[in-house]
Amino acid sequence: MTSLTNSLQKELDAFMSGLVRRNPGEREFHQAVFEVAECLIPFIEDHKKYKDAAILERLTEPDRVIMFRVTWEDDAGNIRADRAYRVQFNNSIGPYKGGMRFHPSVNLGILKFLGFEQTFKNSLTGLPIGGAKGGANFNPKGKSDREVMRFCQSLMVELHRHIGEDTDVPAGDIGVGAREISYMFGQYKRMENRFTGILTGKGLSFGGSLVRREATGYGAVYFTEDMLERAGEGFAGKTCVVSGSGNVALYCIEKLGLMGAKPVTASDSGGFVYDPDGIVGEKLEWLKELKEVRRGRVQEYAEHFGCEFHAGERPWAVPCELAFPCATQNELSGKDAQLLVDNGLIAIAEGANMPTDADGVEVFLDNKILYAPGKAANAGGVAVSGLEQSQNSLRISWSRGEVDARLRTIMREIHHQCVRYGNGKDNYVNYVKGANIGGFVKVADAMLAYGAV
Ligand code: NDP
Ligand code: 2IT
């Protein structure tokens, strides 16, 4: 993908073998670090101050990892025990910030990959926020509201010691939405007797920000608009393939429709729906109600509107010009990427974190596709979380228009940074390189200023 000289390749190999040895079995963490190190090692070679201060070595070791048991009682009276974590990765440029994920697949390696990525992403937003991630192997699917409430309350009994508006501010991620944030916020407030912005993604009646719900999906579309504009293209009439049907996917689909493009797919872990007429207007409202209120499956959309459902499959074989993976990590392989390219893909923006595996990234870069990695494309979510923190500190609420305008500006600024650091001789922007270096510099300079800490 990036051609390195022999000596830089050796340095990368030695760095990675050390990292793998120190973090055995953490596959996703290795993958995320490799992608960054591949871009940063040549940059650091040209900027010796970072090398002398061992910034890359320090940046790949979390500040701390908190791991704890969450005991709760289910509706049948059984006592259950799950495992939760908070990985506080790096607070060089601001309080730790990043989502909480509730999914049975959650483990330390996945949260370390997410916390590592978050550090770069948060830096790219230009806001004063450090990187963190947390979560639990608890599966909210099929649980009653009361069970989810008891789990969230029990989790906060431990987590409250480790967070704070100037320390660490969690938010949502997979399996953690408005309901879970509300239960956690209510428990924190009850324990600490303080009403303060210790979580983002809160309800609008208790300190939440307008546009936070839409921010990640809208932001990914804004970033795509900037990539397309630079290439002399636009959204009008373009067919878009979207994976997922959660918070990120739904508002990515919404914004694509508003921009005049045609989003034709949505998915969940059961499979994907293909609606060649576009998931827009009343159909999108129906899908939102299905997913956000009834917590149903996308298959029901296909049954209701009489379109195709592909059980157990991902949507990458559907021909499109634009693709938006918005479900989870490693959901798009090298083979999928090749299929998308063969079918006429122009641009792809990752609403999810690391949805494309290493082979897939190579295919997109080799074919000079406009490829926006998650840490740039999905930064709109955490950016509006940062704006929610600002509003909480000021004890005011900005209008929808104000927040949306700030989000638009932040995404444009991230695009500028990617172009600044990623533009090649042939005018093709390697957004992976651009995002990694752009995110790195601010954090690294702060670390340099602090000395050996
Ligand atoms: P949600 O829980 O709202 O939705 C997740 C969606 O992805 C669901 O449709 C879910 O299907 C699907 N999904 C999850 N895991 C898998 C899996 N293993 N295989 C297939 N499908 C899966 O989460 P979000 O929309 O918030 O998050 C989606 C992605 O975006 C994640 O990678 C997250 O880290 C990233 N992200 C989220 C941000 C946010 O603000 N929420 C900000 C930036 C990035 P099912 O219901 O069947 O599990
Ligand atoms: O991956 C992410 O950026 C998020 N899940 C959002 C984090 C946040 O603090 O809003």
Side-chain angles (χ1 to χ4, degrees):
M1 176 192 331
T2 317
S3 49
L4 297 179
T5 61
N6 275 348
S7 74
L8 288 179
Q9 185 64 49
K10 271 201 195 122
E11 209 173 312
L12 175 63
D13 292 346
F15 173 77
M16 282 310 301
S17 69
L19 183 110
V20 170
R21 204 174 48 243
R22 289 192 300 279
N23 302 279
E26 296 176 358
R27 203 169 47 85
E28 292 84 0
F29 181 53
H30 306 160
Q31 182 185 341
V33 172
F34 180 79
E35 188 210 85
V36 168
E38 203 182 20
C39 297
L40 284 183
I41 283 181
F43 180 77
I44 289 173
E45 193 61 28
D46 293 339
H47 299 80
K48 283 273 192 281
K49 57 182 180 180
Y50 300 131
K51 195 169 179 178
D52 294 344
I55 298 289
L56 189 57
E57 288 73 8
R58 289 157 63 192
L59 250 181
T60 46
E61 197 61 54
D63 290 351
R64 73 185 62 74
V65 173
I66 299 145
M67 180 168 145
F68 54 100
R69 185 185 67 244
V70 180
T71 309
W72 58 284
E73 189 176 350
D74 69 21
D75 287 345
N78 302 306
I79 301 298
R80 312 277 287 258
D82 286 304
R83 182 180 295 172
Y85 311 77
R86 188 72 183 162
V87 179
Q88 296 180 333
F89 222 99
N90 191 298
N91 68 351
S92 297
I93 62 166
Y96 300 109
K97 181 88 198 84
M100 293 288 288
R101 176 178 290 191
F102 293 170
H103 193 271
S105 64
V106 162
N107 60 38
L108 183 57
I110 288 180
L111 295 180
K112 278 170 71 178
F113 119 63
L114 289 162
F116 177 72
E117 292 268 303
Q118 197 82 45
T119 303
F120 290 76
K121 184 196 304 189
N122 294 3
S123 166
L124 280 168
T125 66
L127 301 173
I129 40 182
K133 201 81 185 190
N137 60 357
F138 172 75
N139 186 0
K141 238 178 267 167
K143 303 284 192 301
S144 70
D145 288 350
R146 311 295 290 178
E147 288 176 320
V148 171
M149 180 186 78
R150 288 194 292 271
F151 177 81
C152 290
Q153 291 181 338
S154 181
L155 179 138
M156 191 50 88
V157 168
E158 176 60 34
L159 189 65
H160 86 108
R161 306 176 215 279
H162 309 290
I163 63 174
E165 65 273 34
D166 295 320
T167 312
D168 184 357
V169 182
D173 193 81
I174 292 176
V176 178
R179 176 182 62 172
E180 291 74 16
I181 294 289
S182 306
Y183 290 146
M184 287 192 278
F185 185 76
Q187 180 70 1
Y188 181 93
K189 186 174 65 56
R190 173 190 189 195
M191 293 179 75
E192 295 277 325
N193 192 24
R194 292 174 67 233
F195 192 109
T196 181
I198 48 92
L199 287 165
T200 58
K202 299 185 290 299
L204 294 177
S205 60
F206 50 94
S209 175
L210 287 162
V211 192
R212 174 61 189 90
R213 187 175 45 170
E214 297 88 343
T216 313
Y218 278 23
V221 176
Y222 290 151
F223 193 92
T224 307
E225 186 179 35
D226 291 338
M227 291 200 295
L228 289 175
E229 195 179 282
R230 191 176 179 280
E233 290 272 2
F235 280 112
K238 292 217 167 46
T239 300
C240 307
V241 162
V242 179
S243 68
S245 52
N247 174 262
V248 180
L250 288 171
Y251 293 93
C252 176
I253 291 172
E254 177 168 284
K255 197 57 160 181
L256 286 170
L258 293 171
M259 291 285 198
K262 193 163 68 162
V264 295
T265 63
S267 72
D268 59 24
S269 50
F272 79 91
V273 287
Y274 173 46
D275 184 345
D277 298 328
I279 304 171
V280 289
E282 278 175 20
K283 289 194 283 187
L284 174 60
E285 292 311 312
W286 193 92
L287 181 63
K288 280 195 207 165
E289 210 262 338
L290 173 74
K291 284 295 183 176
E292 294 181 333
V293 183
R294 288 196 280 133
R295 298 178 191 277
R297 314 301 302 158
V298 284
Q299 180 167 8
E300 295 169 54
Y301 177 101
E303 285 156 9
H304 188 78
F305 291 111
C307 60
E308 288 173 25
F309 177 69
H310 297 261
E313 283 181 44
R314 292 175 169 140
W316 314 124
V318 173
C320 63
E321 287 128 322
L322 307 176
F324 297 86
C326 296
T328 193
Q329 65 274 359
N330 292 325
E331 56 166 320
L332 201 160
S333 67
K335 224 171 109 199
D336 298 326
Q338 194 57 56
L339 199 55
L340 282 163
V341 171
D342 293 345
N343 285 336
L345 185 78
I346 297 173
I348 168 162
E350 295 182 339
N353 286 306
M354 207 169 72
T356 308
D357 73 10
D359 294 342
V361 175
E362 195 166 342
V363 170
F364 292 139
L365 294 180
D366 285 350
N367 285 278
K368 301 216 181 296
I369 300 295
L370 302 175
Y371 164 58
K375 57 173 85 68
N378 70 39
V382 75
V384 174
S385 277
L387 300 179
E388 182 172 327
Q389 290 177 270
S390 303
Q391 293 170 81
N392 291 165
S393 296
L394 293 167
R395 301 197 187 283
I396 58 168
S397 302
W398 291 327
S399 68
R400 202 181 158 77
E402 167 99 46
V403 180
D404 192 37
R406 285 177 188 264
L407 168 64
R408 186 69 193 88
T409 305
I410 290 170
M411 296 314 295
R412 187 167 291 123
E413 200 41 52
I414 297 175
H415 184 264
H416 280 322
Q417 288 190 68
C418 291
V419 173
R420 172 173 175 203
Y421 290 109
N423 199 13
K425 285 194 192 78
D426 56 358
N427 210 27
Y428 169 69
V429 179
N430 179 335
Y431 286 92
V432 177
K433 183 176 163 195
N436 287 336
I437 299 177
F440 172 77
V441 171
K442 187 173 159 193
V443 178
D445 286 345
M447 290 173 77
L448 273 185
Y450 298 143
V453 293

